[in-house]
Amino acid sequence: MTKKELMQRIFGYDAFRPGQEKLIDGVLSGRDVFGIMPTGGGKSICYQIPALMLPGITLVISPLISLMRDQVMALKAAGVPAAYINSTLNGAQVQAVYRNLLAGRYKIVYIAPERLDYPGFGSVAARLEITFLAVDEAHCISQWGQDFRPSYLRIVNFIENLPRRPVVGAFTATATKQVREDVERILKLREPIRTVTGFDRPNLFFDVIHPELKDRELKRILASKRGKSGIIYCSTRKKVETVCENLRDQGYAVTRYHAGLEEQERTRNQEDFLYDRKNIMVATNAFGMGIDKSNVSFVIHYNMPKSIEAYYQEAGRAGRDGTEAECILLYNGSDVHTARFLIQNGSDNEELDPQQQEHIRQQDLRRLEAMVGYCKTNTCLRGYILEYFGQKHPDICGNCGSCKGNFEEVDITKEAQMILSCVKRIEDKLGYNVGIQMIGNVLRGSKNKRILELKLDELTTYGLLKDRTRSEIHAIVDHLEAEGYLQSEQEFQTLFLTAAASKVLYHSEKVLMKREVEPEESAAAAPSAKMDGYETELFDVLKELRGRLAKEAGIPAYVVFSNATLMDMARKKPQNTSQFRKVSGVGEIKAAWYADAFLKCIREFEREA
Ligand code: ADP
Ligand code: MG
């Protein structure tokens, strides 16, 4: 099979992204390669496709257990036999992987760098035909980078001890020159074919907010993000605890991650997030490297990070699948003091001498200044970041807080009155309160069985907002809650009126809501195509189905299909298997597994609509 066919049949994509083809061709022709592409740029495919085409075995060195597990899971879901070797496997499991390896049952094996030194693995490796060795997150080899991993230094010994030198490929999202030089020199790449694709992530919206009260701002932001998956980064463990607790009290499905938690809890929380059991992760920067969760739709920084590098890396975990996502930083002056303190009093890296340590400290302080500059600039935020990485850019990107001037205040008093009175009528009729779904359904005039059983269709507020989509109504309800007109009961998240609601209901207090204004057509930015209301609803329904299928199979939802794939599906509305195969991200195996369920779901949706 050609690389193009593999791309289509295994991964379900029609076209290569910038840089991918050149790197794949390089490896296939026997050359070393060095791929520098932003997070979400699609580096994995650059070693996975050659792995499937070359004879023998491809080893992928990867720094993180979660990353390996994720990628192997995704490969298996696409029908590729793959495995990983790391400390989560027990002795018998490792032996089983070795046996399968020697029997030629895998094309691609992920391995933690520490393992390369194990004599057991050494003797297996000597008997394998390793044709390609890919070093993922290759910046871990440099002590100038964020994530120096001493065990990466030993990769080159391993290569030199092999009976035959495989083609070596290095992949990273780190742009700085120093790190790049380290990677090439330490890994001893031989005249590698290099690609440095642009660092822009057009689908990410950047914004910096200087709020008076961060917690209130956070609440306001989250109100418009119900059901979406996101990460909130805080600078300290303590802050993680308090923010997480606050949000939990407000009824959000949140979990937390920082280095002070027991390993067991960390793993559990991380999985809750990956598997969408909890859709918000509150964490320190200990969380995230190698998190390939592709459906993260927002990354909020509760505190300013210490450098643009760190910020871009963390924020870049949003929107990996190319769909629109938001990166919002909540800034205030005390963040600068905290960051400076952490740099000046941070723990030293024992592998460096005092002079090197001082050098790093100075460098960190310079990086901090650049970060503060980002928070204060009035110019294009994307431009600021790209400039920092030495990349050319237009003055105005059209998709950041500075360029977009994108909100207008709209008067939603009428809708607010309808919603609040609906909540009141339901309570009067039933004698208890209900949740947002039910309220939305009544307002939309749904013929849902529960509604008819409870005779809620007899209410005067039934169907008052039938021309609005579910998500529009939910956004307004969330806004009313954030503004304090509605409150939710903690355990069941039912909504009830607060005293303030009567001001709107009986004294015509005005309710305003910020609404996004459609940006003017901009040539500079090419955000992914927008969906209309109908498609958005279908997308929600498809997401539900995906969640169910993932749960049954015990895999994260994004391993079934990415958000980008579901959006394309909602747009294309395939009616049969061959149309289903045309959806971006649907390969042969996935089509075989999932076509029936999704086609049925689409048919039903169309019938009901
Ligand atoms: P990176 O490792 O560079 O951060 P990944 O390899 O994890 O990025 O890819 C990010 C996302 O982009 C994945 O969901 C992947 O399936 C998708 N992707 C990769 N290549 C393409 C392509 N050519 N077309 C569409 N989607 C792609
Ligand atoms: Mg990657």
Side-chain angles (χ1 to χ4, degrees):
M1 252 190 283
T2 64
K3 60 175 191 281
K4 191 104 208 221
E5 282 164 349
L6 281 169
M7 185 80 167
Q8 239 292 318
R9 290 172 68 167
I10 307 282
F11 300 99
Y13 298 131
D14 283 328
F16 288 99
R17 294 229 184 104
Q20 285 180 329
E21 210 165 1
K22 183 169 160 200
L23 292 170
I24 294 171
D25 288 341
V27 175
L28 293 176
S29 71
R31 293 277 300 273
D32 283 0
V33 298
F34 189 8
I36 302 165
M37 298 173 168
T39 309
K43 292 184 284 295
S44 322
I45 275 178
C46 301
Y47 52 78
Q48 289 166 344
I49 287 188
L52 295 173
M53 297 178 71
L54 290 168
I57 281 236
T58 291
L59 276 191
V60 181
I61 319 269
S62 168
L64 270 194
I65 287 165
S66 54
L67 185 145
M68 289 184 222
R69 200 202 38 203
D70 252 46
Q71 296 223 348
V72 168
M73 205 150 46
L75 283 170
K76 283 186 176 162
V80 177
Y84 56 76
I85 306 171
N86 62 37
S87 57
T88 61
L89 303 184
N90 63 31
Q93 290 169 320
V94 172
Q95 291 309 319
V97 175
Y98 288 172
R99 267 196 310 279
N100 286 334
L101 253 174
L102 291 167
R105 295 213 178 91
Y106 305 126
K107 286 307 286 178
I108 182 159
V109 172
Y110 287 73
I111 185 161
E114 298 79 23
R115 280 279 153 172
L116 298 175
D117 293 340
Y118 284 35
F121 181 71
S123 66
V124 171
R127 288 157 64 198
L128 294 173
E129 192 198 353
I130 301 173
T131 40
F132 179 30
L133 185 135
V135 183
D136 203 4
E137 312 289 346
H139 58 278
C140 290
I141 212 166
S142 169
Q143 62 182 27
W144 306 116
Q146 309 268 331
D147 311 297
F148 177 48
R149 291 279 295 252
S151 55
Y152 261 61
L153 295 171
R154 297 198 286 273
I155 296 172
V156 71
N157 287 339
F158 172 80
I159 296 174
E160 284 170 351
N161 286 330
L162 287 172
R164 244 183 58 202
R165 184 184 186 276
V167 170
V168 179
F171 301 88
T172 178
T174 302
T176 58
K177 189 158 161 272
Q178 227 165 8
V179 173
R180 279 186 220 174
E181 284 170 3
D182 270 4
V183 170
E184 293 200 16
R185 183 177 51 82
I186 301 172
L187 270 181
K188 299 192 182 159
L189 296 182
R190 297 184 182 168
E191 295 173 25
I193 291 178
R194 299 180 192 87
T195 41
V196 185
T197 59
F199 274 77
D200 188 15
R201 303 272 311 276
N203 61 315
L204 299 186
F205 169 80
F206 290 95
D207 204 1
V208 178
I209 299 175
H210 299 223
E212 260 171 67
L213 293 171
K214 286 192 180 182
D215 287 314
R216 201 167 66 194
E217 186 60 28
L218 186 61
K219 197 169 166 189
R220 193 190 67 73
I221 298 171
L222 292 180
S224 63
K225 307 217 165 345
R226 194 174 278 271
K228 290 187 173 167
S229 189
I231 307 174
I232 300 170
Y233 279 107
C234 304
S235 59
T236 62
R237 297 174 189 182
K238 218 173 124 211
K239 204 72 228 177
V240 169
E241 302 287 338
T242 53
V243 169
C244 183
E245 244 162 71
N246 272 342
L247 294 179
R248 188 171 299 141
D249 290 347
Q250 290 167 32
Y252 285 100
V254 285
T255 185
R256 58 186 185 166
Y257 191 103
H258 60 68
L261 300 173
E262 296 283 336
E263 160 110 34
Q264 242 182 349
E265 188 190 339
R266 279 205 311 256
T267 311
R268 190 179 61 232
N269 294 353
Q270 175 167 320
E271 298 208 331
D272 281 347
F273 180 63
L274 294 180
Y275 285 73
D276 295 320
R277 292 189 285 260
K278 298 281 166 67
N279 50 27
I280 300 177
M281 168 60 88
V282 185
T284 60
N285 62 5
F287 176 77
M289 202 211 343
I291 298 299
D292 273 3
K293 185 176 169 63
S294 70
N295 61 346
V296 175
S297 5
F298 60 90
V299 171
I300 297 171
H301 278 75
Y302 191 94
N303 301 108
M304 182 190 72
K306 286 182 282 181
S307 67
I308 297 278
E309 284 94 336
Y311 181 63
Y312 205 50
Q313 191 178 48
E314 288 159 15
R317 291 180 182 129
R320 286 181 80 108
D321 64 1
T323 60
E324 278 173 58
E326 291 181 17
C327 308
I328 300 173
L329 195 163
L330 305 183
Y331 170 88
N332 75 29
S334 70
D335 288 342
V336 184
H337 299 292
T338 313
R340 195 169 286 138
F341 178 86
L342 288 173
I343 290 172
Q344 274 158 349
N345 300 281
S347 60
D348 293 329
N349 185 335
E350 283 151 24
E351 290 172 56
L352 304 178
D353 62 40
Q355 199 187 339
Q356 283 172 316
Q357 274 164 19
E358 185 49 34
H359 176 87
I360 288 188
R361 234 187 295 282
Q362 289 310 320
Q363 178 174 284
D364 285 350
L365 288 171
R366 276 198 302 278
R367 286 179 175 164
L368 177 63
E369 288 317 308
M371 186 70 238
V372 175
Y374 174 82
C375 296
K376 294 189 169 167
T377 186
N378 292 321
T379 64
C380 173
L381 294 170
R382 182 186 315 280
Y384 188 99
I385 295 173
L386 294 176
E387 185 84 33
Y388 182 80
F389 290 123
Q391 190 179 320
K392 281 211 179 72
H393 57 87
D395 288 340
I396 294 173
C397 76
N399 193 28
C400 76
S402 303
C403 294
K404 230 172 157 181
N406 55 338
F407 289 104
E408 65 179 13
E409 296 240 288
V410 277
D411 186 336
I412 55 153
T413 312
K414 229 175 79 206
E415 289 88 341
Q417 286 168 339
M418 291 174 179
I419 291 171
L420 295 174
S421 92
C422 184
V423 172
K424 182 156 178 356
R425 305 263 146 132
I426 294 176
E427 184 186 320
D428 290 348
K429 175 139 190 134
L430 302 178
Y432 57 86
N433 293 99
V434 300
I436 191 167
Q437 296 292 346
M438 180 86 90
I439 296 166
N441 282 339
V442 172
L443 284 161
R444 282 171 28 117
S446 152
K447 298 230 169 6
N448 173 306
K449 213 167 110 223
R450 278 291 282 158
I451 297 220
L452 302 181
E453 271 170 18
L454 296 171
K455 299 202 170 37
L456 294 177
D457 56 330
E458 293 169 3
L459 296 179
T460 48
T461 46
Y462 179 78
L464 272 184
L465 290 173
K466 61 176 175 297
D467 53 337
R468 300 305 190 87
T469 66
R470 184 172 307 158
S471 43
E472 277 172 333
I473 297 176
H474 285 195
I476 302 179
V477 172
D478 284 335
H479 181 69
L480 294 176
E481 193 189 338
E483 293 291 302
Y485 299 118
L486 285 173
Q487 207 173 335
S488 76
E489 186 270 345
Q490 272 185 34
E491 196 178 349
F492 301 105
Q493 303 202 16
T494 56
L495 290 163
F496 56 90
L497 301 183
T498 64
S502 59
K503 289 190 240 162
V504 177
L505 280 173
Y506 311 117
H507 307 286
S508 38
E509 178 165 282
K510 239 183 171 178
V511 186
L512 298 175
M513 184 170 160
K514 276 191 178 174
R515 191 182 60 185
E516 202 172 327
V517 186
E518 286 299 311
E520 286 160 39
E521 284 301 320
S522 147
S528 46
K530 282 245 186 334
M531 297 195 291
D532 66 31
Y534 180 83
E535 289 160 357
T536 310
E537 285 190 37
L538 176 55
F539 174 66
D540 287 340
V541 172
L542 295 173
K543 252 165 81 174
E544 253 177 64
L545 172 62
R546 174 181 71 177
R548 232 178 311 132
L549 294 171
K551 207 162 179 188
E552 279 166 24
I555 53 179
Y558 61 91
V559 171
V560 175
F561 285 130
S562 71
N563 281 353
T565 297
L566 293 192
M567 284 183 183
D568 200 41
M569 204 180 291
R571 268 183 228 116
K572 290 187 176 138
K573 303 176 197 62
Q575 302 295 319
N576 54 44
T577 321
S578 79
Q579 290 174 3
F580 192 71
R581 271 288 272 116
K582 300 222 166 73
V583 173
S584 170
V586 178
E588 224 161 46
I589 298 285
K590 289 200 180 176
W593 280 356
Y594 299 124
D596 288 348
F598 280 93
L599 289 172
K600 179 158 166 265
C601 177
I602 292 169
R603 271 197 302 275
E604 275 171 12
F605 180 86
E606 293 190 316
R607 203 171 320 128
E608 276 178 24

